[in-house]
mmCIF file of all heavy atoms in Angstrom:
data_model
loop_
_atom_site.group_PDB
_atom_site.id
_atom_site.type_symbol
_atom_site.label_atom_id
_atom_site.label_comp_id
_atom_site.label_asym_id
_atom_site.label_seq_id
_atom_site.Cartn_x
_atom_site.Cartn_y
_atom_site.Cartn_z
ATOM 1 N N VAL A 1 -1.918 9.750 -4.359
ATOM 2 C CA VAL A 1 -2.194 8.972 -3.162
ATOM 3 C C VAL A 1 -0.860 8.711 -2.464
ATOM 4 O O VAL A 1 0.161 8.504 -3.133
ATOM 5 C CB VAL A 1 -2.884 7.650 -3.511
ATOM 6 C CG1 VAL A 1 -3.032 6.763 -2.292
ATOM 7 C CG2 VAL A 1 -4.245 7.920 -4.122
ATOM 8 N N TYR A 2 -0.906 8.723 -1.149
ATOM 9 C CA TYR A 2 0.311 8.549 -0.362
ATOM 10 C C TYR A 2 0.205 7.334 0.551
ATOM 11 O O TYR A 2 -0.893 6.933 0.954
ATOM 12 C CB TYR A 2 0.564 9.787 0.496
ATOM 13 C CG TYR A 2 0.630 11.069 -0.282
ATOM 14 C CD1 TYR A 2 -0.486 11.898 -0.376
ATOM 15 C CD2 TYR A 2 1.801 11.456 -0.922
ATOM 16 C CE1 TYR A 2 -0.436 13.075 -1.092
ATOM 17 C CE2 TYR A 2 1.855 12.633 -1.652
ATOM 18 C CZ TYR A 2 0.738 13.439 -1.728
ATOM 19 O OH TYR A 2 0.786 14.605 -2.441
ATOM 20 N N LEU A 3 1.343 6.784 0.884
ATOM 21 C CA LEU A 3 1.415 5.756 1.918
ATOM 22 C C LEU A 3 2.513 6.189 2.890
ATOM 23 O O LEU A 3 3.701 6.133 2.557
ATOM 24 C CB LEU A 3 1.736 4.379 1.335
ATOM 25 C CG LEU A 3 1.741 3.245 2.357
ATOM 26 C CD1 LEU A 3 0.314 2.988 2.880
ATOM 27 C CD2 LEU A 3 2.303 1.955 1.752
ATOM 28 N N GLN A 4 2.098 6.661 4.045
ATOM 29 C CA GLN A 4 3.046 7.025 5.084
ATOM 30 C C GLN A 4 3.375 5.783 5.882
ATOM 31 O O GLN A 4 2.481 5.143 6.430
ATOM 32 C CB GLN A 4 2.453 8.100 5.999
ATOM 33 C CG GLN A 4 3.355 8.509 7.147
ATOM 34 C CD GLN A 4 4.610 9.220 6.683
ATOM 35 O OE1 GLN A 4 4.556 10.083 5.814
ATOM 36 N NE2 GLN A 4 5.747 8.859 7.269
ATOM 37 N N MET A 5 4.649 5.454 5.955
ATOM 38 C CA MET A 5 5.085 4.235 6.625
ATOM 39 C C MET A 5 5.996 4.618 7.788
ATOM 40 O O MET A 5 7.055 5.206 7.585
ATOM 41 C CB MET A 5 5.832 3.326 5.644
ATOM 42 C CG MET A 5 5.041 3.000 4.395
ATOM 43 S SD MET A 5 5.858 1.814 3.310
ATOM 44 C CE MET A 5 7.287 2.765 2.809
ATOM 45 N N ASN A 6 5.542 4.309 8.977
ATOM 46 C CA ASN A 6 6.305 4.602 10.196
ATOM 47 C C ASN A 6 6.691 3.304 10.884
ATOM 48 O O ASN A 6 6.141 2.241 10.609
ATOM 49 C CB ASN A 6 5.476 5.462 11.138
ATOM 50 C CG ASN A 6 5.102 6.805 10.537
ATOM 51 O OD1 ASN A 6 5.841 7.397 9.750
ATOM 52 N ND2 ASN A 6 3.915 7.292 10.901
ATOM 53 N N SER A 7 7.642 3.411 11.794
ATOM 54 C CA SER A 7 8.093 2.251 12.577
ATOM 55 C C SER A 7 8.391 1.071 11.667
ATOM 56 O O SER A 7 7.953 -0.059 11.916
ATOM 57 C CB SER A 7 7.027 1.873 13.613
ATOM 58 O OG SER A 7 6.758 2.960 14.480
ATOM 59 N N LEU A 8 9.136 1.330 10.624
ATOM 60 C CA LEU A 8 9.408 0.293 9.631
ATOM 61 C C LEU A 8 10.223 -0.844 10.217
ATOM 62 O O LEU A 8 11.082 -0.647 11.089
ATOM 63 C CB LEU A 8 10.122 0.900 8.429
ATOM 64 C CG LEU A 8 9.199 1.666 7.473
ATOM 65 C CD1 LEU A 8 9.981 2.614 6.585
ATOM 66 C CD2 LEU A 8 8.383 0.694 6.634
ATOM 67 N N LYS A 9 9.930 -2.037 9.709
ATOM 68 C CA LYS A 9 10.596 -3.257 10.158
ATOM 69 C C LYS A 9 11.286 -3.909 8.954
ATOM 70 O O LYS A 9 10.865 -3.711 7.808
ATOM 71 C CB LYS A 9 9.566 -4.226 10.733
ATOM 72 C CG LYS A 9 8.724 -3.661 11.854
ATOM 73 C CD LYS A 9 7.657 -4.666 12.276
ATOM 74 C CE LYS A 9 6.783 -4.120 13.393
ATOM 75 N NZ LYS A 9 5.740 -5.089 13.810
ATOM 76 N N PRO A 10 12.300 -4.717 9.197
ATOM 77 C CA PRO A 10 12.955 -5.406 8.069
ATOM 78 C C PRO A 10 11.966 -6.217 7.230
ATOM 79 O O PRO A 10 12.151 -6.315 6.005
ATOM 80 C CB PRO A 10 13.976 -6.303 8.777
ATOM 81 C CG PRO A 10 14.316 -5.566 10.024
ATOM 82 C CD PRO A 10 13.028 -4.924 10.461
ATOM 83 N N GLU A 11 10.945 -6.752 7.850
ATOM 84 C CA GLU A 11 9.967 -7.540 7.095
ATOM 85 C C GLU A 11 9.075 -6.692 6.198
ATOM 86 O O GLU A 11 8.287 -7.238 5.424
ATOM 87 C CB GLU A 11 9.105 -8.395 8.035
ATOM 88 C CG GLU A 11 8.488 -7.643 9.189
ATOM 89 C CD GLU A 11 9.296 -7.756 10.471
ATOM 90 O OE1 GLU A 11 10.548 -7.648 10.405
ATOM 91 O OE2 GLU A 11 8.673 -7.955 11.536
ATOM 92 N N ASP A 12 9.197 -5.386 6.282
ATOM 93 C CA ASP A 12 8.481 -4.509 5.354
ATOM 94 C C ASP A 12 9.228 -4.351 4.032
ATOM 95 O O ASP A 12 8.711 -3.733 3.091
ATOM 96 C CB ASP A 12 8.271 -3.124 5.971
ATOM 97 C CG ASP A 12 7.351 -3.141 7.176
ATOM 98 O OD1 ASP A 12 6.324 -3.850 7.127
ATOM 99 O OD2 ASP A 12 7.656 -2.440 8.161
ATOM 100 N N THR A 13 10.420 -4.892 3.961
ATOM 101 C CA THR A 13 11.218 -4.799 2.745
ATOM 102 C C THR A 13 10.504 -5.492 1.584
ATOM 103 O O THR A 13 10.125 -6.658 1.689
ATOM 104 C CB THR A 13 12.600 -5.435 2.953
ATOM 105 O OG1 THR A 13 13.324 -4.677 3.925
ATOM 106 C CG2 THR A 13 13.390 -5.473 1.653
ATOM 107 N N ALA A 14 10.301 -4.747 0.509
ATOM 108 C CA ALA A 14 9.576 -5.270 -0.657
ATOM 109 C C ALA A 14 9.542 -4.195 -1.737
ATOM 110 O O ALA A 14 9.911 -3.039 -1.489
ATOM 111 C CB ALA A 14 8.153 -5.654 -0.280
ATOM 112 N N VAL A 15 9.083 -4.587 -2.895
ATOM 113 C CA VAL A 15 8.709 -3.618 -3.917
ATOM 114 C C VAL A 15 7.245 -3.261 -3.675
ATOM 115 O O VAL A 15 6.404 -4.151 -3.565
ATOM 116 C CB VAL A 15 8.898 -4.180 -5.332
ATOM 117 C CG1 VAL A 15 8.420 -3.165 -6.367
ATOM 118 C CG2 VAL A 15 10.345 -4.552 -5.572
ATOM 119 N N TYR A 16 6.986 -1.978 -3.589
ATOM 120 C CA TYR A 16 5.643 -1.494 -3.315
ATOM 121 C C TYR A 16 5.012 -0.975 -4.600
ATOM 122 O O TYR A 16 5.628 -0.198 -5.336
ATOM 123 C CB TYR A 16 5.682 -0.397 -2.264
ATOM 124 C CG TYR A 16 5.891 -0.930 -0.866
ATOM 125 C CD1 TYR A 16 7.099 -1.494 -0.479
ATOM 126 C CD2 TYR A 16 4.855 -0.897 0.066
ATOM 127 C CE1 TYR A 16 7.292 -2.004 0.794
ATOM 128 C CE2 TYR A 16 5.032 -1.404 1.348
ATOM 129 C CZ TYR A 16 6.254 -1.952 1.702
ATOM 130 O OH TYR A 16 6.429 -2.456 2.964
ATOM 131 N N PHE A 17 3.778 -1.395 -4.827
ATOM 132 C CA PHE A 17 3.036 -1.014 -6.011
ATOM 133 C C PHE A 17 1.770 -0.276 -5.615
ATOM 134 O O PHE A 17 1.097 -0.666 -4.655
ATOM 135 C CB PHE A 17 2.625 -2.248 -6.816
ATOM 136 C CG PHE A 17 3.755 -3.091 -7.317
ATOM 137 C CD1 PHE A 17 4.283 -4.097 -6.531
ATOM 138 C CD2 PHE A 17 4.287 -2.877 -8.582
ATOM 139 C CE1 PHE A 17 5.336 -4.889 -6.983
ATOM 140 C CE2 PHE A 17 5.333 -3.658 -9.051
ATOM 141 C CZ PHE A 17 5.860 -4.663 -8.252
ATOM 142 N N CYS A 18 1.436 0.746 -6.371
ATOM 143 C CA CYS A 18 0.125 1.357 -6.190
ATOM 144 C C CYS A 18 -0.792 0.861 -7.301
ATOM 145 O O CYS A 18 -0.333 0.501 -8.390
ATOM 146 C CB CYS A 18 0.199 2.882 -6.181
ATOM 147 S SG CYS A 18 0.754 3.648 -7.715
ATOM 148 N N ALA A 19 -2.067 0.850 -6.995
ATOM 149 C CA ALA A 19 -3.046 0.318 -7.927
ATOM 150 C C ALA A 19 -4.351 1.072 -7.797
ATOM 151 O O ALA A 19 -4.675 1.591 -6.725
ATOM 152 C CB ALA A 19 -3.275 -1.172 -7.661
ATOM 153 N N GLY A 20 -5.095 1.116 -8.895
ATOM 154 C CA GLY A 20 -6.392 1.770 -8.892
ATOM 155 C C GLY A 20 -7.445 0.888 -9.508
ATOM 156 O O GLY A 20 -7.166 0.116 -10.430
ATOM 157 N N GLY A 21 -8.640 0.988 -8.998
ATOM 158 C CA GLY A 21 -9.735 0.205 -9.546
ATOM 159 C C GLY A 21 -11.041 0.934 -9.344
ATOM 160 O O GLY A 21 -11.190 1.706 -8.389
ATOM 161 N N ARG A 22 -11.962 0.682 -10.235
ATOM 162 C CA ARG A 22 -13.254 1.359 -10.150
ATOM 163 C C ARG A 22 -14.347 0.348 -9.829
ATOM 164 O O ARG A 22 -14.332 -0.782 -10.294
ATOM 165 C CB ARG A 22 -13.571 2.063 -11.462
ATOM 166 C CG ARG A 22 -12.501 3.062 -11.898
ATOM 167 C CD ARG A 22 -13.043 4.027 -12.913
ATOM 168 N NE ARG A 22 -13.904 5.015 -12.290
ATOM 169 C CZ ARG A 22 -14.670 5.862 -12.987
ATOM 170 N NH1 ARG A 22 -14.695 5.790 -14.298
ATOM 171 N NH2 ARG A 22 -15.414 6.741 -12.369
ATOM 172 N N ARG A 23 -15.255 0.796 -8.994
ATOM 173 C CA ARG A 23 -16.466 0.028 -8.668
ATOM 174 C C ARG A 23 -16.132 -1.329 -8.052
ATOM 175 O O ARG A 23 -16.821 -2.320 -8.319
ATOM 176 C CB ARG A 23 -17.351 -0.131 -9.905
ATOM 177 C CG ARG A 23 -17.741 1.212 -10.524
ATOM 178 C CD ARG A 23 -18.673 1.046 -11.720
ATOM 179 N NE ARG A 23 -18.958 2.325 -12.353
ATOM 180 C CZ ARG A 23 -18.246 2.829 -13.343
ATOM 181 N NH1 ARG A 23 -17.206 2.163 -13.818
ATOM 182 N NH2 ARG A 23 -18.555 3.999 -13.871
ATOM 183 N N LEU A 24 -15.101 -1.370 -7.239
ATOM 184 C CA LEU A 24 -14.785 -2.601 -6.534
ATOM 185 C C LEU A 24 -15.751 -2.789 -5.378
ATOM 186 O O LEU A 24 -16.089 -1.834 -4.674
ATOM 187 C CB LEU A 24 -13.361 -2.554 -5.989
ATOM 188 C CG LEU A 24 -12.232 -3.026 -6.918
ATOM 189 C CD1 LEU A 24 -12.126 -2.151 -8.159
ATOM 190 C CD2 LEU A 24 -10.913 -3.078 -6.180
ATOM 191 N N ILE A 25 -16.170 -4.019 -5.166
ATOM 192 C CA ILE A 25 -16.998 -4.288 -4.012
ATOM 193 C C ILE A 25 -16.091 -4.489 -2.798
ATOM 194 O O ILE A 25 -14.902 -4.806 -2.937
ATOM 195 C CB ILE A 25 -17.909 -5.515 -4.237
ATOM 196 C CG1 ILE A 25 -17.072 -6.762 -4.534
ATOM 197 C CG2 ILE A 25 -18.884 -5.235 -5.387
ATOM 198 C CD1 ILE A 25 -17.914 -8.031 -4.665
ATOM 199 N N THR A 26 -16.667 -4.321 -1.636
ATOM 200 C CA THR A 26 -15.874 -4.337 -0.410
ATOM 201 C C THR A 26 -15.064 -5.611 -0.269
ATOM 202 O O THR A 26 -13.886 -5.581 0.111
ATOM 203 C CB THR A 26 -16.782 -4.144 0.814
ATOM 204 O OG1 THR A 26 -17.493 -2.910 0.669
ATOM 205 C CG2 THR A 26 -15.958 -4.106 2.092
ATOM 206 N N SER A 27 -15.660 -6.731 -0.584
ATOM 207 C CA SER A 27 -14.983 -8.016 -0.395
ATOM 208 C C SER A 27 -13.799 -8.207 -1.334
ATOM 209 O O SER A 27 -12.986 -9.112 -1.139
ATOM 210 C CB SER A 27 -15.974 -9.163 -0.581
ATOM 211 O OG SER A 27 -16.523 -9.127 -1.875
#
């Protein structure tokens, strides 16, 4: 899975984590 990040801002600075889950409801 990819996350394309454009027009980055200083407030986007963070540690980014990917996560997976099964059978999650929309909410």
Side-chain angles (χ1 to χ4, degrees):
V1 173
Y2 305 98
L3 184 68
Q4 178 67 44
M5 305 185 294
N6 299 327
S7 302
L8 282 161
K9 304 175 181 180
E11 50 263 43
D12 294 318
T13 295
V15 177
Y16 284 69
F17 299 88
C18 64
R22 304 198 75 190
R23 303 182 184 91
L24 272 63
I25 59 176
T26 302
S27 60

